[in-house]
Amino acid sequence: FKLDIKNMAAADLNETLVYNVADTKYTLRLWHHQSKLLKADNLYKAYKDALPRQATVALMQHFGIGVNQRTVSEIQAQLAVEINEINDEIDSLKVIKAFKADNKGVFNPQSGPELLRIFRDYLKRPEIVVTNLHVMDFGQSSKQKEATRTKYGERYSLDKHVMATIDHPLAKLIVELRNRTKLKSTYADGFELGKGDYVWPDGKIHTSFNTTFTETGRLSSDYPNQQNWPKRNDAWVRRLVVPPKGHVILAIDYGQLEGCCAAMCSKDSVLVKALWENYDIHMAWTKKLVKRYPLWLGTSETLDDKPTAKKYRSVVKNKLVFPAIYGASNESIAGYLNVPIDVADDIMDEFWGTFTGLKRWQDELMKGYYNRGYVESLNGRRHNYPLTRNQAINFPV
């Protein structure tokens, strides 16, 4: 079919109806074939579990979410001011004045080649040279290639991680400029009714939700991705979204969900009991770590202070408890926490001495993976080889 399925509203109706008939016919035939394959591989239950969500997702996409156009205009204006201010600061730097003098007064801060010339040739910053790329040398004879098959090459990088290592005001300003420019193009200009890419004629966003794209089985969305909107920095972006009249938007999160899933997978009796009793596993191990290694806290900090306790609890949650649940090594956990390896060894010995069922489940899961070449979630969904240990343990949880 030559039908443009992304613009079916403009297509000839007769052609569209024939297309829909063929689409339905062959989808049904594929479904019968797929069902046999799923049953043969014991995957039919996972399929049946995933099926009911499709109706909900279809409704979510159909109804969409509203966008406050007044807020869009306010944010566009505010970001435009901020972008101009950053550009003025950049233009006032000595190195930029020197570059403009050599280039007929022209400089574009969004130009990668121009920025590269400034950081490499004018500022001579060594940080932009990346030397750990493994590259093939194609300029050799076959014998030479065999003798020196690969070599380490060099390239230049101006990404945000590299820029963060450069102690020069231009680097900081470029990072800020990129951030403001991206926010404006995505969340302000992109949501402007009649002009933006993401707002439909009804004034709403109708993102595409995907239930089968991610390897772990989580939901994803695109055009636009509604799951990566700023939450901490630039949380004001979320003011763009508004509920229908007479409704409110409610944010809901499960408490200790990953801990609960790890308990369901492993049936660790200590972990199960702790969760039923509302035991805060993250805070408990924060206190254990501080007791074992007091230097980990700042000299003037104490867990009696609620904001301090919350900060360090978050660190332990994301750099000790979750990595442990997902199979991280003691060396990795020591690096995440920035503590000596003997401290990490000590605390992890106690952790696994407490949650023996969780450790046993991890070991049995990996044995099954090495034997069968896949791991399964509790409802039978599979993830196949090749997987790292962390990926294999992560998947069922």
Side-chain angles (χ1 to χ4, degrees):
F1 290 89
K2 295 179 180 179
L3 193 71
D4 181 4
I5 61 171
K6 291 186 177 180
N7 189 27
M8 291 182 75
D12 177 76
L13 181 60
N14 289 325
E15 188 180 5
T16 302
L17 291 173
V18 175
Y19 172 86
N20 286 343
V21 169
D23 191 19
T24 305
K25 175 183 176 180
Y26 286 98
T27 298
L28 180 61
R29 291 180 66 176
L30 284 169
W31 178 81
H32 284 298
H33 181 61
Q34 173 188 267
S35 297
K36 292 177 184 177
L37 296 176
L38 291 172
K39 288 172 182 175
D41 283 341
N42 293 318
L43 288 168
Y44 197 72
K45 181 181 181 298
Y47 160 71
K48 292 292 284 185
D49 281 350
L51 199 59
R53 79 180 72 162
Q54 307 309 319
T56 303
V57 167
L59 286 171
M60 288 161 59
Q61 293 185 178
H62 171 73
F63 287 118
I65 54 171
V67 176
N68 188 326
Q69 287 300 319
R70 181 180 294 177
T71 305
V72 169
S73 298
E74 292 171 359
I75 289 174
Q76 279 179 316
Q78 176 61 33
L79 288 173
V81 169
E82 293 179 23
I83 289 168
N84 286 334
E85 289 174 349
I86 295 170
N87 279 322
D88 289 344
E89 282 192 68
I90 290 173
D91 284 339
S92 70
L93 296 176
K94 286 183 179 179
V95 68
I96 301 302
K97 291 179 179 178
F99 181 87
K100 282 186 170 182
D102 296 339
N103 293 275
K104 301 178 181 179
V106 177
F107 169 64
N108 177 9
Q110 304 283 8
S111 167
E114 290 183 25
L115 285 174
L116 175 59
R117 287 176 58 199
I118 289 172
F119 281 104
R120 181 188 61 195
D121 303 334
Y122 285 72
L123 296 175
K124 307 202 182 295
R125 302 301 305 207
E127 297 93 340
I128 67 170
V129 180
V130 180
T131 58
N132 62 344
L133 278 182
H134 209 42
V135 296
M136 296 296 296
D137 189 341
F138 293 104
Q140 296 177 315
S141 67
S142 57
K143 280 190 176 181
Q144 288 174 319
K145 283 182 183 178
E146 197 61 34
T148 57
R149 188 159 182 77
T150 58
K151 71 177 183 179
Y152 285 98
E154 287 186 352
R155 70 178 175 93
Y156 298 101
S157 175
L158 295 172
D159 68 24
K160 64 180 180 181
H161 304 293
V162 172
M163 300 294 264
T165 66
I166 300 176
D167 184 18
H168 190 279
L170 179 60
K172 182 181 177 183
L173 288 169
I174 292 299
V175 171
E176 289 180 6
L177 179 63
R178 288 173 177 173
N179 170 265
R180 300 290 100 181
T181 303
K182 184 176 180 181
L183 284 174
K184 186 174 185 295
S185 63
T186 303
Y187 298 110
D189 300 341
F191 289 174
E192 184 179 359
L193 182 62
K195 293 183 179 179
D197 291 336
Y198 304 125
V199 177
W200 290 52
D202 63 358
K204 293 182 177 181
I205 298 168
H206 297 272
T207 188
S208 294
F209 287 107
N210 313 306
T211 63
T212 58
F213 284 15
T214 66
E215 290 182 342
T216 57
R218 293 186 178 209
L219 191 72
S220 69
S221 73
D222 54 64
Y223 208 77
N225 183 349
Q226 286 185 200
Q227 295 174 243
N228 67 346
W229 289 20
K231 184 177 181 180
R232 293 177 178 87
N233 297 328
D234 302 307
W236 47 262
V237 166
R238 297 181 174 226
R239 289 195 293 115
L240 290 166
V241 171
V242 290
K245 190 174 182 180
H247 293 69
V248 295
I249 291 179
L250 185 65
I252 302 174
D253 192 15
Y254 285 98
Q256 304 199 74
L257 179 60
E258 290 178 88
C260 290
C261 290
M264 287 190 288
C265 289
S266 66
K267 297 181 173 62
D268 185 299
S269 58
V270 177
L271 184 55
V272 170
K273 183 174 184 291
L275 288 163
W276 276 115
E277 294 175 355
N278 291 321
Y279 159 76
D280 187 344
I281 183 174
H282 308 306
M283 196 66 233
W285 288 90
T286 303
K287 290 177 180 177
K288 288 178 186 290
L289 180 58
V290 170
K291 184 178 180 181
R292 206 161 295 246
Y293 188 60
L295 290 175
W296 190 59
L297 279 179
T299 52
S300 61
E301 293 180 307
T302 170
L303 293 182
D304 294 331
D305 176 57
K306 283 189 176 181
T308 301
K310 184 178 180 182
K311 178 179 77 172
Y312 281 96
R313 177 190 179 277
S314 178
V315 173
V316 168
K317 168 185 171 182
N318 293 302
K319 298 187 176 181
L320 190 158
V321 178
F322 284 160
I325 288 174
Y326 294 135
S329 66
N330 290 5
E331 290 82 0
S332 295
I333 291 172
Y336 300 152
L337 293 170
N338 194 24
V339 300
I341 185 61
D342 60 314
V343 173
D345 286 340
D346 204 15
I347 199 79
M348 294 316 297
D349 282 347
E350 184 178 355
F351 187 92
W352 294 123
T354 302
F355 302 112
T356 55
L358 184 61
K359 181 64 173 172
R360 191 181 310 114
W361 169 74
Q362 289 184 350
D363 293 341
E364 290 174 357
L365 181 80
M366 293 309 299
K367 284 180 185 177
Y369 168 64
Y370 293 134
N371 287 331
R372 296 188 298 267
Y374 63 82
V375 290
E376 282 187 334
S377 66
L378 289 177
N379 70 343
R381 196 170 176 276
R382 290 182 191 167
H383 199 6
N384 294 299
Y385 173 91
L387 300 170
T388 64
R389 175 181 171 85
N390 294 64
Q391 287 173 326
I393 293 172
N394 179 298
F395 179 75
V397 177

